[in-house]
Amino acid sequence: MELEGESYFRCSACGATDKATAIDYDRLGYPVCPSCGTTTGPLSGA
């Protein structure tokens, strides 16, 4: 069984998936979707 060492981000708003290393983060450290711009986190309402 081969394990993949790459983490992925999946947007809860639009469903886009991208490598976690390609995701930008807001000033609080929450990921920002590169497709729709939605910020996910406990204070974002997502």
Side-chain angles (χ1 to χ4, degrees), residues 1-4 6 8 10-11 13-14 16 20-22 24 26-29 33 36 38-39 43-44 46:
M1 182 168 145
E2 186 176 325
L3 297 177
E4 186 173 341
E6 191 74 42
Y8 288 90
R10 181 180 168 120
C11 179
C14 71
T21 55
D24 289 326
D26 68 6
R27 62 187 179 95
L28 296 176
C33 178
C36 69
T38 301
T39 301
L43 300 177
S44 67

Side-chain angles (χ1 to χ4, degrees), residues 9-22:
F9 165 81
R10 181 180 168 120
C11 179
S12 60
C14 71
T17 304
D18 205 348
K19 291 184 178 180
T21 55

